[in-house]
Amino acid sequence: MRHLTGVLVAASLVASSAAHADDIATAQALFDKGIADLQAGHVDAACKELRDSLVAHDDSGTKGALATCYGQQDKLASAWGLWKDLADTAPRQDMKDEATKQAAALEPKLAHYVLKAAAPVPGTVVTVNGTAVRDLSVSVPLPVDAGTVALAANAPGYKPWTGSAKATDGQLTTIDVPALIPEPKATPGGGPVYDPAVAAEEAESRHKRHLVAIGAAGVGVAAVIVGGVFGASASSDFDTAKKDCGGNINACPGTSIGAARSAFNSANSAATLSTVMFIVGGAAIAGGAVLWFTAPNVEEQPPAGAVSWRLAPTLDPHGAGLVFGGGF
């Protein structure tokens, strides 16, 4: 580690003559602080300082120090990328050899990923941890730092997508990017343009809502019919009780009171059931009507130049009705 740090410090003194003196001074100060923090075990602070130093001034020594720091953060892919770069660009052969050795040691440990995009549209750009992958046809495993991988996909005219995946050192992760959803288009007047896919989805939703509404209304009608049957039974039993009492239930003779009471109780039970079934039936029918009339409207694309008409229900605190309208 001391030998490597010495090589890195020496290399940091090699600066481009075209670089601005203030940038070099800032980069050197950040580099010195980063090396001090790295040696003190303050790895996160050191990596930030070394990264900022590299932004201020591109320097081989800083790349090597940052690669070492990334390795201690377990950002092996980031470290490997810097070592590979140094193996080609370092100003001295001993530094190139050291960088090649470091990269080779990390290579078997790297996490890799492959992208599988579902029906990518022209112009799709997928970013992995902020790095753009424009050619989605490439199936070569690419290195990535282990941990949570931040994903995003964008294409002109489509809704952006974001997601995440988990990458593990030494393993290959397959990342599935779903098909992007088109952005709703606007007409010159500001209204939405007819979209066949959206229309099909709305039609399916409307159909399902109508099926539920019909089912609810059917249950309601059946309940009303059953309620009517119980009501008729209650009326019949009450007439029987009245007949058994000689036409006046309140003055029923003792010899007839038993039969009259049985018929009267039966009439009460049937009447109660009739009332309950009418309430349930009415509620089910009302619920079915609400489901039917609140089903999503399906936008259909009218022929060019044709007049389109629509009949729609309305409901407000003052009552209900129908609205008839159209457009060109």
Side-chain angles (χ1 to χ4, degrees), residues 132-173:
V133 180
R134 296 181 181 275
D135 188 357
L136 300 179
S137 64
V138 176
S139 58
V140 176
L142 301 175
V144 66
D145 289 328
T148 301
V149 181
L151 307 168
N154 295 273
Y158 289 79
K159 294 181 179 179
W161 170 83
T162 59
S164 64
K166 186 75 173 178
T168 305
D169 284 334
Q171 296 185 16
L172 175 66
T173 299

Side-chain angles (χ1 to χ4, degrees), residues 26 95 153 203 228-229 239 279 290:
T26 299
M95 293 181 64
V229 171
D239 288 343
I279 293 173
V290 170

Side-chain angles (χ1 to χ4, degrees), residues 69-299:
C69 195
Y70 278 155
Q72 294 188 26
Q73 276 190 320
D74 198 31
K75 294 182 177 180
L76 302 187
S78 295
W80 175 82
L82 288 171
W83 288 126
K84 290 289 287 183
D85 180 45
L86 278 172
D88 294 329
T89 63
R92 297 204 313 260
Q93 188 58 46
D94 61 333
M95 293 181 64
K96 290 182 178 180
D97 294 342
E98 179 66 24
T100 300
K101 177 182 174 182
Q102 294 290 339
L106 289 177
E107 206 156 297
K109 306 175 185 178
L110 297 179
H112 288 82
Y113 73 92
V114 290
L115 286 176
K116 291 190 177 298
V121 297
T124 299
V125 177
V126 177
T127 60
V128 179
N129 284 343
T131 301
V133 180
R134 296 181 181 275
D135 188 357
L136 300 179
S137 64
V138 176
S139 58
V140 176
L142 301 175
V144 66
D145 289 328
T148 301
V149 181
L151 307 168
N154 295 273
Y158 289 79
K159 294 181 179 179
W161 170 83
T162 59
S164 64
K166 186 75 173 178
T168 305
D169 284 334
Q171 296 185 16
L172 175 66
T173 299
T174 299
I175 298 175
D176 294 313
V177 180
L180 297 181
I181 300 173
E183 287 276 14
K185 299 177 182 178
T187 60
V193 169
Y194 173 78
D195 187 328
V198 174
E201 184 177 345
E202 290 180 347
E204 178 66 17
S205 176
R206 181 180 178 84
H207 177 65
K208 290 179 180 178
R209 183 76 70 92
H210 281 173
L211 289 179
V212 174
I214 291 171
V219 170
V221 171
V224 170
I225 292 173
V226 172
V229 171
F230 277 114
S233 176
S235 178
S236 175
D237 289 339
F238 186 78
D239 288 343
T240 299
K242 188 175 180 181
K243 181 179 179 182
D244 289 340
C245 290
N248 188 353
I249 292 178
N250 296 324
C252 192
T255 56
S256 303
I257 194 168
R261 180 178 296 166
S262 176
F264 184 75
N265 289 340
S266 178
N268 272 339
S269 297
T272 300
L273 287 172
S274 175
T275 301
V276 170
M277 296 307 290
F278 272 115
I279 293 173
V280 171
I285 292 172
V290 170
L291 287 171
W292 181 279
F293 288 115
T294 58
N297 289 325
V298 179
E299 295 291 341

